[in-house]
Amino acid sequence: MTAQRTIIAGASAAGWLTAEALRRHQYQGEIVLIGDEPSYERPPLSKQVLSGDWHADRTALFSTERQDKIGAKLLLGRASALDVGQRTIKVEHGETIAFDHAVIATGVRPRTLPGTDVKGFHVLRTIGDALALREKMSRQGDIIIFGAGFIGMEVAATARRLGIGAIVIDPVFEPLRLRLGAAVASRLYARHRAEGVEFRFGLSLAAISTRAGEDGAPRLKAVSLSDGSVLATEVALVAIGCQPNVEWLSGSGLTIDDGVGCDDFCMAAEGIWAAGDVARWRHRGFGVDMRIEHRTNAAEQGDTVARNIMGQAKPYLPVPFFWSDQFDIRLQVAGRVLEDAEARVEHGDIDGSSFVVSYRADGRLSGVVGWNAGKAVTEFRRELLAQLSPQT
Amino acid sequence: MKIKVDREKCVSSGQCAAFAPEFFDQGDEDGVVVLLHDSPAPELRHKARQAADLCPARAIAVEDEPLDHEPS
């Protein structure tokens, strides 16, 4: 057998975890990762790193020893083109490399709002983003957060813990109702209000006022909202979701539609795969196309892609799972909270310190939300996993 | 092969307990990982390795095991 080469475009969690899984599944060929920054965990960025509880070093994905053991070659840079016919990937300002298998793991980047490219406006995706926001938050008073989703809410909770005021703006009323169900979401927003977070729902950013900074560049001074109100602030965060990094694949012939389109096996074309936040694949168990931006998905999808590179022909059938820490609350969500699902409190009391709410559609469990109920959630996850296992 | 867990790093995701209940459980209250036993039989080593690699907090270490070991 001739030596094989797998190129993984993207060296964050999904890329590295795919490399690790390839070795776990006895891949003997060469692994080349292309990435433009060291790998680290993103979940702590909006929490422990932003609060200052953790030094940035603690977010490393692997120890150096562990990373060395994987035996992958890391090329610093970005993949800039993929040639499906020639089976090559070009590195920006660099060489063109041939592959037997390619894994697209280029992730996502934050969406922004028009006109927010001024100092004082932040996004939160990279460790650099987290450290920059932390410095500004600790020095410049209240923060205005656009987006009342998970990142916005985690940042609001962290700000309050640091004694910093937080005003959260979202055009949608309590948007996490769609992700957590109305009752749990309503309790979460109420808790934030009790901790001093202010919400302005039904509003959006209308205009930005700036002043000249010390270096002459414009700096944020105030934001105007769609109802005409003006909020003075030196620091604002845009946390309105992310978009896939797929521009480098334009003209490749791959299906690009809110991510890299893949089949049930996470295959985009023969020998070309996608994993992590950027991958849109057909979930055979749910009968829908999905793209999941969760840390657990990076590991599980990387594992499936590695298995399929090894010829296991394994459809990717995960139970989506994520968690969010806000104040002393650890939320966990497994499966899907479907719009027409029936909610049922399974453990504890929805006004208590710990509870689980299950969601059932046509009598069948579709998802579960836990509030400080780690172990109880896992029991429901096993039921959800069993629904999707090929034996049943 | 020895399994080690770091209860400080654990985020109570339950990935380990969901995928490898032979080795891992969770605390009733906090959901933090509880290691049931640390020396997997040879036929279960790959499963232990997999659970370690799926942990979203990288709170599980499997030691003395080359990465390319997999019974097939």
Side-chain angles (χ1 to χ4, degrees), chain A residues 218-233:
Chain A
R219 291 200 57 86
L220 177 63
K221 190 176 78 178
V223 295
S224 309
L225 304 182
S226 48
D227 65 348
S229 59
V230 177
L231 302 170
T233 188

Side-chain angles (χ1 to χ4, degrees), chain A residues 290-301:
Chain A
M290 300 188 88
R291 187 173 69 74
I292 299 181
E293 297 175 5
H294 302 325
R295 171 62 177 79
T296 47
N297 184 63
E300 293 181 23
Q301 198 160 23

Side-chain angles (χ1 to χ4, degrees), chain A residues 308-341:
Chain A
N308 289 340
I309 287 173
M310 298 304 290
Q312 290 189 19
K314 188 180 189 282
Y316 184 47
L317 296 167
V319 172
F321 176 84
F322 66 95
W323 76 95
S324 176
D325 295 336
Q326 299 171 33
F327 306 112
D328 58 353
I329 308 154
R330 172 157 292 159
L331 290 161
Q332 296 180 310
V333 182
R336 295 181 299 160
V337 177
L338 300 170
E339 210 174 342
D340 51 357

Side-chain angles (χ1 to χ4, degrees), chain A residues 132-284:
Chain A
L133 182 58
R134 184 182 146 198
E135 195 197 328
K136 289 290 158 43
M137 265 177 52
S138 55
R139 287 197 312 181
Q140 288 171 325
D142 296 0
I143 180 170
I144 310 286
I145 299 167
F146 290 91
F150 287 110
I151 297 295
M153 295 286 276
E154 288 187 351
V155 171
T158 302
R160 292 306 301 138
R161 262 198 56 207
L162 297 172
I164 295 163
I167 301 174
V168 184
I169 294 141
D170 200 299
V172 176
F173 176 71
E174 298 188 351
L176 289 178
R177 285 169 174 255
L178 281 174
R179 309 292 304 280
L180 300 171
V184 181
S186 164
R187 172 134 191 239
L188 182 66
Y189 288 106
R191 173 64 188 276
H192 275 255
R193 283 186 198 97
E195 296 280 355
V197 178
E198 281 183 50
F199 292 97
R200 308 281 171 87
F201 291 118
L203 301 179
S204 51
L205 176 65
I208 295 162
S209 317
T210 58
R211 61 176 172 82
E214 283 162 22
D215 57 359
R219 291 200 57 86
L220 177 63
K221 190 176 78 178
V223 295
S224 309
L225 304 182
S226 48
D227 65 348
S229 59
V230 177
L231 302 170
T233 188
E234 301 258 305
V235 56
L237 174 74
V238 179
I240 56 168
C242 288
Q243 63 186 82
N245 293 322
V246 291
E247 289 75 7
W248 69 285
L249 295 166
S250 69
S252 66
L254 297 176
T255 303
I256 305 299
D257 178 15
D258 185 33
V260 177
C262 298
D263 66 9
D264 311 25
F265 302 90
C266 307
M267 192 172 83
E270 188 62 39
I272 299 171
W273 314 82
D277 296 355
V278 77
R280 174 172 290 281
W281 89 105
R282 183 82 183 165
H283 193 304
R284 190 186 279 186

